Amino acid sequence: MSATMTALTPCPMFLDGKWIQPNISSTPVFNPSTGEVIAECPAGGAAEVNAAVESAHAAFPAWRDTPPMERARVFFKYRQLVEANFDRLCKCVSREHGKTLVEARGSIFRGIENIEYACGIPSLLMGDTLEIARGVDCETMNQPLGVCVGITPFNFPAMVPLWMFPVALACGNTFILKPSEKVPLTANILVELLQEAGLPKGVLNLVHGGRECVDTLLRHPKVKAISFVGSTPIAKYIYETGTQHGKRVQANGGAKNYIVIMPDADMPKTVEALSTAAFGCAGERCMAGSTALTVGAAADKLLPSLVEAARNIRVGPTDRTAQPDMGPVITAAHRDKVTSLVSGGEKEGAKVICDGRGVKIADAPKGFYVGATIVDHVVDGMNIAKEEVFGPVLNVMRMDDLNMAIELANRSNYGNGAAIFTQNGNAAREFKQRVKAGMVGINVGVPATMAMFPFTGWDESFYGDLHIQGREGVQFFTQQKVVSTRWFGGNVGDVWRK
Ligand code: NAD
């Protein structure tokens, strides 16, 4: 344990309806605003995972047989409790992740929308019915899978878990949540509140840990489905290992999202949207607009005010009353990775026109800060052009025309988001038709989808068949049964026909 820690926040697991603090090794959880250790996250292994799976497996039959309306009622109550605990959740997200309170609030609202979507499960689970031949009826039923697992990243401690477990549970599955070991504390509150809402014992379990924990979940014979969100190498690993072990897997990966700026774009609005897309949540978003593709004269019209806007972004600690515009990144190691990618780009010939490296925060000298950074004249092939930086860094790449911009964006291995800023309908249409990305924005910098639409990453941003959220999310957590029915004996029909 670190010598800098003060009073640690407890970080128990929730197994079979009980909070337990196993006596096992742990990893430090930081407050990235100050660099202090605020908790120790237990590194769960086979013992904890097995206990969670057995509990979820035992709880499944009774929960599956609970009618959808009754299951939905738990989520109506849950929504109220999350709202009543809104400030507490926001503060926890802000403290362990470093989001500003405004950003934390936005992320919890997005999570609440997923709870609201789960409240509609009675309608979402309804099947179809048709008389397929004389006296023969056919109907579809949507039934749960069994024990499902959610493995989540550090960058949205509440929202991403809420993408998963409300809908999975409302569908009648039982669930094991394994949050990021870098931000385990918000998940504890989310689980506590769902118990308070009346969820039966064993229906939701919470395990903490890293690779060992994940590996046991991926191979456990009683686990039916895995929902994963994180970086691309791990998403690929989860998909391959999970499917090899017979599980249904949806695995969201990393991203590199392009924003095309046409010379006719509304520049003041574009500056505002681009700086939010690039620097919001300190750039730690899978939908961050991390590369601006300026077409023709757009660069000269855009960059002076964009640089000014970036220089005005106040960076600082997010755990106090006076809030900055942007908080820290998650760890010291991540800060160093971000700044070294920028320095590498500079060595390869790019120009840093707004430099957030080495930013000093007087009242939080040990926090993990990078200021807003803009790297101009990035060209295809540079490391900074390829790697997901995941920090407050915007690359600018200069394009001759829209065609060149679309072709460049389409060479990326990723395919999460892409956006265009223009006032020309033809250009917007051409872009939306041809760009290789699952979520497209037209004059919208962060076209992240909300609860009722699927989160449609393509290529190396997603492994699987059914995406998270929306109807695809419901399909992922259910299996269809088709029932054909014929009743013998004609008496009742004869009476009816008379
Ligand atoms: P990560 O891949 O390091 O970790 C994600 C989860 O996987 C964590 O729970 C972690 O404990 C586990 N994990 C890490 N290494 C593992 C290993 N070797 N074996 C098994 N499990 C392992 O991701 P992160 O750094 O926490 O999150 C940032 C990444 O997530 C970025 O790449 C970002 O783009 C991506 N992300 C994607 C989406 C999306 O919807 N596409 C959303 C949010 C974040």
Side-chain angles (χ1 to χ4, degrees), residues 152-155 178 181 228-231 234 252-254 286 388 455:
T152 54
F154 79 79
N155 67 323
K178 203 301 286 174
E181 63 277 35
F228 173 86
V229 176
S231 60
I234 311 299
N252 287 18
C286 69
E388 181 183 32
F455 205 86

Side-chain angles (χ1 to χ4, degrees), residues 330-405:
I330 190 71
T331 55
H334 188 57
R335 174 198 57 206
D336 297 345
K337 182 187 159 200
V338 170
T339 52
S340 83
L341 277 166
V342 173
S343 303
E346 206 172 23
K347 283 197 195 104
E348 287 182 281
K351 304 266 171 296
V352 180
I353 55 173
C354 177
D355 197 349
R357 292 170 292 180
V359 66
K360 296 271 180 287
I361 309 297
D363 58 344
K366 293 191 178 147
F368 313 137
Y369 296 97
V370 186
T373 300
I374 302 178
V375 188
D376 194 5
H377 296 288
V378 171
V379 293
D380 204 8
M382 287 181 178
N383 207 28
I384 195 169
K386 287 186 281 193
E387 289 262 327
E388 181 183 32
V389 179
F390 222 55
V393 177
L394 177 70
N395 289 347
V396 179
M397 301 176 81
R398 292 166 182 245
M399 304 284 118
D400 296 341
D401 54 28
L402 177 58
N403 195 44
M404 186 179 175

